Amino acid sequence: MTSLKSQDVLALGFMTFALFVGAGNIIFPPIVGMQAGPHVWLAALGFLITAVGLPVITLVALAKVGGAMDALSSPIGKAAGVLLGTVCYLAVGPLFATPRTATVSFEVGLAPLTGDSPLALFIYSLVYFVIVLGVSLYPGRLLDTVGRVLGPMKILALLILGGTAFVLTPGEVGPATAVYEAAPFSQGFINGYLTMDTLGALVFGIVIVNAIRSRGVESPQLITRYAIIAGLIAGVGLAVVYISLFRLGAGSHSIAAGATNGAAVLHAYVQHTFGALGSGFLAVLISLACLVTAVGLTCACAEYFSRLVPLSYRSLVVILAAFSLLVSNLGLTKLIQISVPVLTAIYPPCIVLIALSFCWGLWNSAGRVVGPVMLVATLFGIVDGLKTAGLDGGLPQWLVSLPLAEQGLAWLLPAAIMLAIASGYDWLRGKPQEVLA
């Protein structure tokens, strides 16, 4: 029975970590740290739950069912599972996340050096996606290209930045903004959505499993074990990165006063700490972080859609890279404006699906419970999304004033109530009768 060597397991963990850490993971924690002020670690706890805990749990859930999202969504039926999978893959693929990796790496890393012009963005994104295309065409080599080369380079750069944040803190912790003064934990929880790591985990599961299989491992038990180990390595790495960036942001109030996003905080810090080399270092770090994530997303999306449409994996890689190139040239601001409400709407059913996947054995029929709870989470998640987009004017007042609505968690209580009702119904109905052939 083929098994992985220790260095292969470590490379798999590095690859998994490198796939997750994109630009969003680097630019959101510093602004949370600065705005949370003295409440930084309470906000960090909420952030770590959605940006580290949920992704690791998702990888474990996927590993148990072989890595494919359609197996995880089997209780809700094939049609609903395909719809959910398509929405998630498009969101973390060519519509939002993949183009965002190019726009963020350009605007944070290179725009200060080259100028923020449409032509500069186009040239950068063209070169960027040609590289993404070249690596993604050979998914069997991901463990070598990402796990052994790009991953360690990315980790080294993050260690330099994170270590410096603890050793060279520029100043004292400043005051908290009003929203973090009122509810630091829930604000951190919601901001963890923006990393898109949980949706990314749903997408990357099959990439990680395929990387294991590319080494000749076929045992389901070994695949599950290696995927869990990789997820834990990635989770520890993510937590260390986030904690260091929270520290960086919390101590940057004096040098980044007035900053409205994490990119500005990072720029101020690296300029203050590294001087003239700061911008160059940040450009390399952000570009490397984004490139690895874009490769993983492109591979995963091509793998998924090759099973739904009559196109080959390689053809889909070309199409996805070209489409992501076009979308990335819309600019970062437009992408974020559209993506935040969409993410707020689609995260709740995904969280429900992942959480309940560990409870299938408790019910006579998992479909009787998982489906209704996901439906309720979806409906109220859409309400949260509309509210985030400022389109809730026509909704009934009671609907936008539900418990936890101000924290963007209006879906939580209705989903919990439906879970109780559906579990009771499942208990009353008993085991489904088998249809005899």
Side-chain angles (χ1 to χ4, degrees), residues 4 12 15 139-140 142-143 205-217:
L4 293 182
L12 183 70
M15 184 194 82
L142 278 183
L143 196 56
I206 192 64
V207 176
I208 295 164
V209 169
N210 284 344
I212 297 171
R213 287 176 176 153
S214 72
R215 287 294 193 266
V217 180

Side-chain angles (χ1 to χ4, degrees), residues 145-160:
T145 56
V146 176
R148 297 183 184 277
V149 181
L150 296 177
M153 288 172 60
K154 186 174 179 177
I155 291 170
L156 178 61
L158 288 169
L159 283 174
I160 294 172

Side-chain angles (χ1 to χ4, degrees), residues 153-234:
M153 288 172 60
K154 186 174 179 177
I155 291 170
L156 178 61
L158 288 169
L159 283 174
I160 294 172
L161 180 62
T164 306
F166 276 95
V167 177
L168 300 174
T169 304
E172 298 295 324
V173 175
T177 60
V179 290
Y180 281 99
E181 190 70 45
F185 176 84
S186 60
Q187 283 298 315
F189 188 92
I190 294 298
N191 271 277
Y193 285 178
L194 301 181
T195 66
M196 300 178 74
D197 282 345
T198 299
L199 299 184
L202 288 171
V203 170
F204 291 144
I206 192 64
V207 176
I208 295 164
V209 169
N210 284 344
I212 297 171
R213 287 176 176 153
S214 72
R215 287 294 193 266
V217 180
E218 294 297 336
S219 167
Q221 292 81 8
L222 283 179
I223 290 173
T224 300
R225 183 191 305 172
Y226 293 140
I228 291 173
I229 293 173
L232 292 175
I233 292 173

Side-chain angles (χ1 to χ4, degrees), residues 69-70 73-74 76-90 304-305 307-308:
M69 186 176 174
D70 52 2
S73 63
S74 58
I76 64 176
K78 185 175 181 180
V82 169
L83 177 61
L84 178 67
T86 299
V87 170
C88 289
Y89 273 87
L90 288 177
Y304 180 78
F305 287 113
R307 292 183 277 119
L308 297 181

Side-chain angles (χ1 to χ4, degrees), residues 130-338:
V130 166
I131 298 173
V132 169
L133 174 64
V135 178
S136 301
L137 285 173
Y138 303 97
R141 301 177 186 174
L142 278 183
L143 196 56
D144 293 318
T145 56
V146 176
R148 297 183 184 277
V149 181
L150 296 177
M153 288 172 60
K154 186 174 179 177
I155 291 170
L156 178 61
L158 288 169
L159 283 174
I160 294 172
L161 180 62
T164 306
F166 276 95
V167 177
L168 300 174
T169 304
E172 298 295 324
V173 175
T177 60
V179 290
Y180 281 99
E181 190 70 45
F185 176 84
S186 60
Q187 283 298 315
F189 188 92
I190 294 298
N191 271 277
Y193 285 178
L194 301 181
T195 66
M196 300 178 74
D197 282 345
T198 299
L199 299 184
L202 288 171
V203 170
F204 291 144
I206 192 64
V207 176
I208 295 164
V209 169
N210 284 344
I212 297 171
R213 287 176 176 153
S214 72
R215 287 294 193 266
V217 180
E218 294 297 336
S219 167
Q221 292 81 8
L222 283 179
I223 290 173
T224 300
R225 183 191 305 172
Y226 293 140
I228 291 173
I229 293 173
L232 292 175
I233 292 173
V236 171
L238 285 169
V240 171
V241 169
Y242 290 146
I243 290 171
S244 65
L245 292 177
F246 282 125
R247 168 79 170 177
L248 182 155
S252 296
H253 181 78
S254 60
I255 63 171
T260 57
N261 58 67
V265 177
L266 277 174
H267 271 300
Y269 180 81
V270 296
Q271 287 289 345
H272 174 83
T273 306
F274 297 103
L277 294 176
S279 294
F281 171 76
L282 190 61
V284 172
L285 171 61
I286 295 293
S287 295
L288 186 60
C290 290
L291 186 66
V292 174
T293 302
V295 168
L297 291 172
T298 302
C299 290
C301 289
E303 175 77 23
Y304 180 78
F305 287 113
S306 67
R307 292 183 277 119
L308 297 181
V309 298
L311 291 172
S312 68
Y313 170 86
R314 295 173 72 88
S315 298
L316 284 166
V317 166
V318 174
I319 293 171
L320 290 168
F323 188 82
S324 298
L325 168 64
L326 294 175
V327 175
S328 67
N329 280 267
L330 294 176
L332 180 60
T333 301
K334 289 183 180 178
L335 280 176
I336 292 179
Q337 287 175 345
I338 299 171

